[in-house]
């Protein structure tokens, strides 16, 4: 007997789009684990460096006029460098300390239930007509929890729609798509911003050792983008996708029953509540935490006032110790808010519960820490061999020869990353590979590296919801199959593809307008 989804052309295996994506899935599944992928890249880098060094390839660095010749990683000098610097490469890898420090504080806030309560009140206090927008925008806020955002938002989206009398299946798919497709847009500074900024700053030092990229470098653009993307998703869902047969009113009763059975089991993900309503203690906790947050932000602002000793050289805000070490402040603020909220709601009854909460967050980071070891070695080898300098200088020369407008180059980066992201779903891993090439390249032709970083962020986000190689795609599909037994990859794609395409178009146009007007990307960071 055929399932409901079997009758839809959107999920027909003969559909060209479905066949193409299935081929990508099969090809992607043949790729090794990212750890071994970077090991292979190290070997390929060594082979390439040996060939180029043998050919005597070198370039003159525009920044200082010095000659940079390719060095053979497989030589004695290369072997000594690899052995003697292995620990240093890992210990000094910029994202390592930053992501650990940020998560120490965020883990307390998450464990206390503060972040989930904020999401629930964001959803619950808006008019029903704004429900889809509120879920989409809450997903943008949830990015502060990194990948944990999926685990919180998917059940929250279903419960919010269930409470409003709409299809919980639609709600969970909206939450998944919004979390995935706008992963690099948020009204808050996220751990991903910290990682990206660290990698970009390390890459920029190939050209200018004094260049600084902070997690706030693109804040103005990403905060504005979070609103634009939430509106775009809401329009596409409410005007087009919500009218599909699988979300019809005659199926609501059955979907409600599935939702009640499914998410009562997972209610712990919503701080013990199966609704978006907050208890009196939770409301009091949010109010007090809000007051503490305002005081903390005011304190940080005072540190950046004119003539403050915490300003950078020549009174610079961007190069101040506060912004250069913003990860510490982010961690302290989140940790403080989590403790205040946890003590009031008794989710963290004693200070003795704080270290275990921090440790729990770090445990979730273990796979990333393993990956960072081999990534840090690859990037160190890449820089030592000078291949990055050769690619950057020659690439810059090519673009100068072609006289391509900077905006055209940025759009090329967006398109290329969109495709690459279908196979390499880890944004930090991909930027680890690309930053040492892309950042110096754009700096050599007079572009801001932060603009290239924004182009990467757009491309890295919009196709997240399309690739089955994204582990959370499989998670979302598992939820969907509780509601529609015949659902498969095509079912997900038929919903997420229109959202991804719409967001790509709107976000790219938004960036083009932002670039042409010349609005700063962040504090002290011009777009061009």
């Amino acid at each position: 007997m055929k399932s409901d989804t079997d009758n839809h052309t959107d999920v027909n295996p003969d559909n060209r789009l479905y066949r193409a994506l299935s081929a990508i899935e099969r090809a992607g599944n043949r790729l090794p684990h990212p750890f071994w992928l970077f090991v292979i890249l190290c070997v390929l880098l060594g082979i390439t460096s040996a060939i180029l060094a043998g050919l005597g390839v070198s370039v003159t660095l525009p920044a200082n006029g010095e000659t940079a010749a390719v060095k053979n990683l497989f030589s004695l000098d290369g072997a000594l460098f690899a052995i003697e610097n292995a620990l240093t490469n890992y210990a000094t890898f910029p994202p390592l300390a930053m992501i650990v420090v940020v998560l120490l504080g965020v883990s307390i806030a998450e464990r206390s239930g503060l972040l989930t309560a904020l999401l629930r009140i964001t959803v619950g206090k808006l008019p029903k007509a704004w429900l889809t927008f509120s879920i989409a925008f809450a997903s943008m806020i949830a990015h502060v929890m990194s990948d944990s955002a999926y685990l919180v938002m998917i059940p929250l989206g279903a419960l919010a729609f269930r409470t409003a009398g709409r299809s919980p299946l639609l709600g969970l798919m909206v939450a998944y798509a919004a979390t995935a497709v706008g992963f690099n847009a948020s009204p808050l500074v996220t751990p991903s911003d910290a990682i990206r900024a660290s990698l970009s700053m390390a890459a920029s030092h190939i050209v200018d050792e004094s260049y600084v990229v902070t997690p706030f470098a693109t804040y103005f653009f990403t905060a504005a983008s979070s609103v634009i993307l939430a509106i775009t998703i809401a329009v596409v869902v409410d005007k087009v996708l919500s009218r599909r047969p699988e979300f019809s009113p005659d199926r609501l009763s059955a979907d409600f029953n599935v939702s009640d059975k499914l998410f009562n089991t997972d209610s712990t993900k919503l701080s013990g509540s199966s609704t978006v309503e907050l208890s009196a203690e939770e409301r009091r906790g949010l109010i007090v935490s809000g007051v503490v947050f305002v005081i903390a932000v005011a304190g940080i602002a005072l540190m950046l006032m004119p003539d403050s000793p915490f300003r950078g050289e020549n009174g610079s805000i961007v190069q101040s110790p506060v912004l250069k070490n913003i990860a510490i402040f982010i961690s302290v603020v989140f940790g403080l808010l989590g403790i205040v909220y946890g003590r009031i709601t008794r989710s963290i009854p004693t200070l003795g519960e704080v270290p275990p909460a921090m440790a729990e967050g770090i445990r979730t980071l273990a796979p990333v820490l393993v990956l960072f070891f081999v990534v840090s070695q690859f990037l160190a080898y890449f820089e030592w061999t000078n291949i990055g300098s050769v690619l950057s200088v020659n690439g810059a020369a090519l673009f100068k020869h072609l006289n391509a407008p900077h905006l055209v180059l940025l759009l090329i980066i967006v398109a290329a990353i969109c495709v690459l992201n279908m196979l390499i779903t880890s944004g930090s891993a991909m930027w680890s590979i690309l930053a040492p090439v892309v950042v110096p390249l754009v700096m050599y032709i007079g572009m801001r590296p932060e603009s290239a970083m924004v182009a990467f962020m757009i491309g890295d986000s919009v196709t997240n919801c399309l690739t089955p190689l994204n582990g959370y795609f499989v998670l979302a599909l598992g939820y969907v199959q509780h509601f529609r037994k015949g659902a498969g990859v095509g079912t997900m794609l038929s919903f997420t593809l229109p959202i991804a395409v719409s967001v790509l178009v709107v976000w790219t146009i938004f960036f083009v307008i932002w670039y042409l007007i010349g609005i700063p990307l962040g504090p002290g960071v011009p777009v061009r």
Side-chain angles (χ1 to χ4, degrees), residues 64-256:
N64 51 27
E66 295 181 358
T67 299
V70 175
K71 293 186 286 187
N72 183 3
L73 184 61
F74 286 163
S75 65
L76 177 60
D77 287 342
L80 290 173
F81 172 82
I83 295 170
E84 294 175 351
N85 293 277
L87 295 179
T88 303
N89 294 340
Y90 187 47
T92 60
F93 187 47
L96 179 64
M98 187 170 292
I99 188 65
V100 170
V101 169
V102 169
L103 275 182
L104 287 175
V106 172
S107 297
I108 301 172
E110 185 176 358
R111 171 74 175 272
S112 71
L114 171 64
L115 299 182
T116 301
L118 284 171
L119 294 173
R120 287 161 55 202
I121 199 171
T122 301
V123 171
K125 296 301 180 181
L126 290 175
K128 289 185 178 181
W130 288 35
L131 178 61
T132 306
F133 170 83
S134 67
I135 289 294
F137 189 66
S139 299
M140 307 297 163
I141 298 174
H143 293 150
V144 73
M145 295 185 288
S146 194
D147 286 357
S148 298
Y150 290 101
L151 305 178
V152 172
M153 286 309 304
I154 290 176
L156 181 61
L159 288 170
F161 271 64
R162 167 69 174 89
T163 303
R166 296 181 63 181
S167 169
L169 171 60
L170 179 62
L172 75 85
M173 295 188 80
V174 168
Y176 163 71
T179 302
V181 82
F183 200 80
N184 290 328
S186 177
L188 303 176
V189 176
T190 69
S192 295
D193 292 322
I195 293 176
R196 212 164 27 244
S198 296
L199 292 171
S200 299
M201 185 164 65
S204 70
H205 289 174
I206 296 174
V207 179
D208 181 357
E209 292 186 357
S210 65
Y211 201 89
V212 175
V213 182
T214 75
F216 279 96
T218 62
Y219 177 72
F220 295 160
F221 180 77
T222 53
S225 294
S226 66
V227 179
I228 297 298
L229 298 193
I231 293 173
T232 302
I233 293 168
V235 170
V236 173
V237 170
D238 289 341
K239 299 300 182 183
V240 181
L241 298 177
S242 64
R243 300 176 181 178
R244 292 174 50 152
E246 52 265 51
F247 307 125
S248 61
D250 61 336
R251 297 192 177 189
L252 283 181
S253 179
D255 287 349
F256 286 166

Side-chain angles (χ1 to χ4, degrees), residues 9-30 176 418-423 425 462-470 473 488-501:
T9 57
D10 288 333
V11 295
N12 189 336
D14 293 331
N15 182 276
R16 292 180 180 179
L17 175 61
Y18 179 76
R19 291 204 310 270
L21 291 170
S22 295
I24 292 175
E25 180 182 6
R26 290 193 298 271
N29 285 339
R30 295 191 181 98
Y176 163 71
C418 279
V419 176
L420 192 57
N421 190 50
M422 296 290 291
L423 294 176
T425 57
V462 294
T463 51
N464 273 339
C465 65
L466 297 179
T467 172
L469 301 182
N470 179 353
F473 181 102
V489 171
T491 308
M492 292 288 293
L493 293 177
S494 66
F495 182 87
T496 57
L497 183 60
I499 293 177
V501 172

Side-chain angles (χ1 to χ4, degrees), residues 299-381:
I300 295 173
L302 287 175
M303 296 174 70
L304 297 174
M305 294 291 287
D307 301 324
S308 167
F310 294 98
R311 287 272 195 137
E313 187 177 353
N314 299 321
S316 171
I317 293 179
V318 175
Q319 298 195 33
S320 69
V322 176
L323 288 189
K324 290 174 70 175
N325 299 279
I326 194 64
I328 297 175
F329 292 89
I330 293 174
S331 181
V332 170
V333 170
F334 272 105
L336 181 61
L337 296 179
I339 291 172
V340 170
Y341 181 85
R343 293 298 297 272
I344 292 175
T345 61
R346 294 192 289 276
S347 58
I348 300 182
T350 67
L351 293 179
E353 297 290 328
V354 173
M358 299 166 77
E360 184 177 337
I362 297 302
R363 279 197 295 271
T364 64
L365 191 63
V368 178
L369 297 180
V370 172
L371 180 60
F372 274 4
F373 177 78
V374 68
V375 171
S376 65
Q377 306 308 317
F378 171 78
L379 293 179
Y381 301 161

Side-chain angles (χ1 to χ4, degrees), residues 238-317:
D238 289 341
K239 299 300 182 183
V240 181
L241 298 177
S242 64
R243 300 176 181 178
R244 292 174 50 152
E246 52 265 51
F247 307 125
S248 61
D250 61 336
R251 297 192 177 189
L252 283 181
S253 179
D255 287 349
F256 286 166
N257 291 335
V258 173
S259 176
D260 293 343
K261 181 183 300 184
L262 181 62
F263 294 114
N264 278 342
T265 303
D266 294 338
S267 60
T268 54
K269 295 175 183 175
L270 302 175
S271 296
S273 174
S274 61
T275 71
V276 294
E277 296 299 325
L278 298 178
S279 67
E281 283 186 343
E282 288 173 328
R283 287 194 294 271
R284 188 160 63 90
L286 284 179
I287 292 172
V288 176
S289 298
V291 172
V292 173
F293 177 74
V294 171
I295 294 173
V297 171
I300 295 173
L302 287 175
M303 296 174 70
L304 297 174
M305 294 291 287
D307 301 324
S308 167
F310 294 98
R311 287 272 195 137
E313 187 177 353
N314 299 321
S316 171
I317 293 179

